[in-house]
C-alpha cells in the first residue's frame, strides 16, 4: 500500500523522460567504450546485413509453424536478437487479442518468434514493405471505424492467428512509463491478454523518438546484442458495466505494475508535438543554480566571434536596427551560431540569449556603395528592457506574456519599416 501510494503521489513523467532524443550515451566512459567497439561493430553490421538476407529468405520459404519459429529464432540470435520469455504457460491458447507495450519497431517480429500472431499496419507503406516487415495489411482507408470492422471480421474467423495490438500507438524508451492506451484495441473483443515487453542493449539507447525502422535495424546489427524479455500476463475480461475506457486503463495499470514503470496520460499526439518542439527549438544549455547572488559574481568572460566578416557585420547591423537595446557583441555571438537574422531575433526576444540592455550603439559602416542612411529608429517601448526593474507600477505589473507580445510587435514593426516585408 505504501509503495502504491508513493507511486501515485509521484509526479507523472513528461515526454522528455518517456522518449530518448539522443542515441549516444552521455557518460564519458560508455562513450569511450563505444568508440573502441566501433570497428568491431562495423564488421558485425556488414556481416549481419548479409546474414539477415538469408534469415528473411528462410522465414519466407518455411510455412508458419513451430519449426519455422525455432529456426528463425536461432538465426536471429546470430543477428544479435536474443529473445527470452517468462511464464510461457500463462499464454492462453484461446486468446484472440494480445495487448503489448511498444518499445521498438520490431516488437511484433519478436513476439511472432514465440507464438503465431499478426500485427496490423496502422501507419506506413503498404504492399511489399508491409509484408516484408511482418505486418498484416488490413487494407482499410476509411478511418478508425472501418479499421475496427476489418479487425473484428478478421478475429471472427477461428483459423486466423491472434491479433497483436499496441494501444500506445507509438514507441517509448520503455524505462519510465507507459503512454495512455487508446480504447479502440479493446473494442474488438471483450477478452485480451496483456504482454509485457522489455528491451535492453549495451552502449546506445534502445530507440530514439524520431528514428525510422531502417535506422533502428542498422543499430541493432551494429551493437553486440539486443535482449528482448517477454512476459505473459493472465487474460483480462471486461467486467459487467465496464466501459472500454475503464478496461484500457485497467490493462495499462497491470502492464505498468509488471514492468515497474508508471502509467501516464501522455498520448501519441503529445509525442508528435514533442518532436516538433525538438526540431524547431534549439537546445537550451543547462545552467547550474549559483550558490551566491548573481550580483556578487563577476561576469563570466565571453569570447566574441571575429568582427571582421562583412557579412556577419551586415547581419548584426540588421538585428541591431530591429533591437537597438541589445549589445552588438551579443548579436554577433549568436549570429555566429545561428547564421540567420530571424533566428537571432527570435532567440533574443524569447530570452534564450541572456544580455544586459544598453544604449544604442553605432556600427561602423560596411565598405561598399553608398546608400542613403535611413531615419533614426524610434525608441523601443518601455517594456523592451526586460532585464531591468521598471520604475513605474504599471510597467512592473505587465505580465511576461504581455511584454513578449510587445517585443514581437515592436520588432515586427521595425523590420517592416526597414525592409518593407513582414517578419514571419
Amino acid at each position: 500500500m505504501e509503495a502504491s501510494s508513493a507511486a501515485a503521489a509521484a509526479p507523472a513523467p513528461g515526454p522528455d523522460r518517456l522518449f530518448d532524443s539522443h542515441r549516444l550515451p552521455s557518460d564519458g566512459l560508455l562513450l569511450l567504450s563505444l568508440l573502441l567497439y566501433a570497428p568491431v561493430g562495423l564488421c558485425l553490421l556488414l556481416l549481419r546485413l548479409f546474414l539477415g538476407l538469408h534469415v528473411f529468405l528462410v522465414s519466407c520459404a518455411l510455412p508458419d509453424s513451430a519449426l519455422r519459429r525455432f529456426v528463425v529464432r536461432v538465426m536471429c540470435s546470430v543477428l544479435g536478437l536474443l529473445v527470452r520469455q517468462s511464464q510461457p504457460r500463462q499464454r492462453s491458447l484461446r486468446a484472440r487479442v494480445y495487448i503489448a507495450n511498444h518499445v521498438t519497431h520490431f516488437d511484433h517480429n519478436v513476439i511472432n518468434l514465440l507464438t503465431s500472431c499478426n500485427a496490423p499496419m496502422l501507419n506506413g507503406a503498404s504492399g511489399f514493405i508491409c509484408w516484408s516487415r511482418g505486418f498484416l495489411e488490413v487494407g482499410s482507408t476509411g478511418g478508425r471505424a472501418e479499421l475496427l470492422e476489418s479487425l473484428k471480421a478478421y478475429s471472427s474467423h477461428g483459423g486466423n492467428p491472434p491479433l497483436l495490438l499496441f494501444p500506445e500507438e507509438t514507441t517509448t524508451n520503455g524505462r519510465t512509463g507507459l503512454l495512455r492506451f487508446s480504447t479502440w484495441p479493446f473494442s474488438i473483443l471483450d477478452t485480451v491478454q496483456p504482454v509485457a515487453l522489455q528491451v535492453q542493449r549495451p552502449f546506445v539507447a534502445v530507440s530514439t523518438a524520431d528514428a525510422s525502422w531502417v535506422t533502428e535495424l542498422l543499430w541493432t546489427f551494429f551493437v553486440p546484442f539486443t535482449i528482448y524479455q517477454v512476459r505473459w500476463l493472465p487474460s483480462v475480461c471486461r467486467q459487467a458495466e465496464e466501459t472500454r475506457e475503464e478496461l484500457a486503463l485497467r490493462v495499462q495499470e497491470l502492464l505498468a505494475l509488471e514492468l515497474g514503470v508508471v502509467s501516464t496520460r501522455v498520448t501519441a499526439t503529445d509525442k508528435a508535438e514533442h518532436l516538433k518542439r525538438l526540431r524547431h527549438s534549439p537546445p537550451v544549455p543547462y545552467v547550474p543554480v549559483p550558490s551566491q547572488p548573481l550580483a556578487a559574481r563577476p561576469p563570466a568572460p565571453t569570447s566574441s566571434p571575429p568582427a571582421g566578416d562583412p557579412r556577419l557585420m551586415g547581419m548584426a547591423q540588421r538585428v541591431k536596427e530591429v533591437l537597438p537595446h541589445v549589445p552588438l557583441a551579443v548579436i554577433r555571438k549568436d549570429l555566429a551560431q545561428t547564421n540567420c537574422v530571424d533566428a537571432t531575433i527570435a532567440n533574443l526576444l524569447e530570452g534564450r540569449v541572456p544580455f544586459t540592455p544598453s544604449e544604442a550603439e553605432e556600427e561602423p559602416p560596411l565598405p561598399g556603395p553608398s546608400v542613403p542612411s535611413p531615419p533614426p529608429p524610434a525608441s523601443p517601448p518601455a517594456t523592451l528592457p526586460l532585464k531591468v526593474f521598471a520604475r513605474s507600477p504599471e510597467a512592473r505589473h505587465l505580465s511576461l506574456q504581455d511584454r513578449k507580445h510587445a517585443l514581437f510587435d515592436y520588432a515586427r514593426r521595425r523590420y517592416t519599416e526597414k525592409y518593407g516585408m513582414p517578419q514571419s
Side-chain angles (χ1 to χ4, degrees):
M1 293 294 294
E2 295 180 358
S4 61
S5 60
D16 54 336
R17 295 181 55 193
L18 294 173
F19 316 108
D20 290 333
S21 57
H22 301 287
R23 177 82 58 178
L24 301 181
S26 58
D27 183 75
L29 184 59
L30 285 178
L31 188 58
L32 178 61
S33 302
L34 178 61
L35 292 177
L36 296 176
Y37 168 77
V40 180
L42 291 176
C43 295
L44 279 178
L45 172 62
L46 297 177
L47 179 62
R48 287 171 172 173
L49 283 175
F50 176 74
L51 296 176
L53 179 61
H54 292 74
V55 175
F56 174 73
L57 295 177
V58 169
S59 63
C60 295
L62 296 178
D64 187 13
S65 61
L67 176 62
R68 172 183 177 270
R69 289 192 292 272
F70 174 77
V71 172
V72 175
R73 183 176 176 183
V74 172
M75 298 182 71
C76 285
S77 63
V78 181
L79 301 179
L81 293 173
L82 306 179
V83 183
R84 302 174 180 175
Q85 64 174 334
S86 302
Q87 304 171 344
R89 295 183 178 179
Q90 290 194 7
R91 179 169 58 87
S92 175
L93 299 178
R94 295 182 296 179
R96 303 295 301 158
V97 176
Y98 297 139
I99 299 295
N101 60 302
H102 209 359
V103 183
T104 70
H105 292 276
F106 312 106
D107 296 342
H108 63 287
N109 302 110
V110 169
I111 298 179
N112 203 13
L113 294 177
L114 303 176
T115 182
S116 179
C117 60
N118 283 325
M121 170 66 81
L122 302 180
N123 299 306
S126 58
F128 176 77
I129 298 297
C130 175
W131 170 80
S132 61
R133 293 184 59 191
F135 282 106
L136 173 66
E137 188 173 0
V138 181
S140 61
T141 59
R144 190 56 53 84
E146 185 177 346
L147 172 66
L148 284 177
E149 293 299 326
S150 301
L151 295 180
K152 287 180 181 179
Y154 173 89
S155 300
S156 62
H157 296 283
N160 291 333
L163 284 172
L164 174 62
L165 304 177
F166 301 99
E168 293 177 289
E169 297 184 337
T170 187
T171 58
T172 65
N173 57 25
R175 299 190 309 268
T176 307
L178 297 179
L179 300 184
R180 181 178 181 179
F181 279 12
S182 299
T183 58
W184 67 265
F186 303 90
S187 302
I188 300 174
L189 294 176
D190 292 336
T191 302
V192 298
Q193 180 162 22
V195 182
L197 184 64
Q198 287 181 315
V199 188
Q200 296 177 343
R201 70 168 47 147
F203 299 133
V204 297
V206 170
S207 63
T208 55
D210 56 347
S212 64
W213 70 271
V214 178
T215 304
E216 297 292 350
L217 181 64
L218 295 178
W219 278 104
T220 302
F221 289 168
F222 175 83
V223 296
F225 55 84
T226 303
I227 301 177
Y228 286 82
Q229 182 71 39
V230 180
R231 293 199 294 271
W232 302 92
L233 278 67
S235 298
V236 178
C237 299
R238 188 165 72 97
Q239 300 175 356
E241 299 181 357
E242 185 179 24
T243 62
R244 307 293 182 185
E245 291 79 6
E246 294 172 346
L247 177 60
L249 181 59
R250 184 155 63 97
V251 175
Q252 180 180 353
E253 296 289 347
L254 289 175
L255 279 175
L257 183 62
E258 179 69 21
L259 294 170
V261 297
V262 297
S263 179
T264 71
R265 313 307 290 172
V266 181
T267 63
T269 305
D270 297 327
K271 178 183 178 180
E273 295 296 329
H274 176 66
L275 290 179
K276 290 181 181 178
R277 289 193 297 268
L278 289 180
R279 295 189 187 103
H280 294 87
S281 299
V284 180
Y286 170 74
V287 180
V289 179
S291 57
Q292 53 182 339
L294 187 62
R297 295 188 295 123
T302 57
S303 59
S304 300
D309 186 3
R311 179 174 172 273
L312 181 64
M313 294 171 61
M315 295 170 63
Q317 184 63 25
R318 293 178 63 182
V319 178
K320 184 68 175 178
E321 291 170 355
V322 176
L323 301 175
H325 64 290
V326 182
L328 278 172
V330 177
I331 296 175
R332 292 196 197 101
K333 184 176 180 181
D334 191 70
L335 280 173
Q337 299 177 358
T338 62
N339 199 26
C340 177
V341 174
D342 296 337
T344 297
I345 293 176
N347 290 341
L348 293 171
L349 290 177
E350 296 182 4
R352 298 193 187 102
V353 179
F355 66 90
T356 302
S358 63
E359 297 296 331
E361 304 175 8
E362 289 295 333
E363 175 72 8
L366 297 176
S370 61
V371 179
S373 59
S379 59
T383 58
L384 279 179
L386 300 179
K387 304 296 182 181
V388 296
F389 188 74
R391 297 181 180 180
S392 62
E394 291 78 12
R396 286 199 299 268
H397 283 81
L398 282 176
S399 65
L400 178 61
Q401 198 68 20
D402 294 337
R403 287 182 289 174
K404 182 183 294 186
H405 287 323
L407 281 170
F408 273 111
D409 294 339
Y410 172 76
R412 187 180 294 110
R413 185 170 61 254
R414 290 286 301 118
Y415 199 91
T416 305
E417 293 173 358
K418 179 65 180 178
Y419 301 103
M421 53 182 178
Q423 181 187 7
S424 56

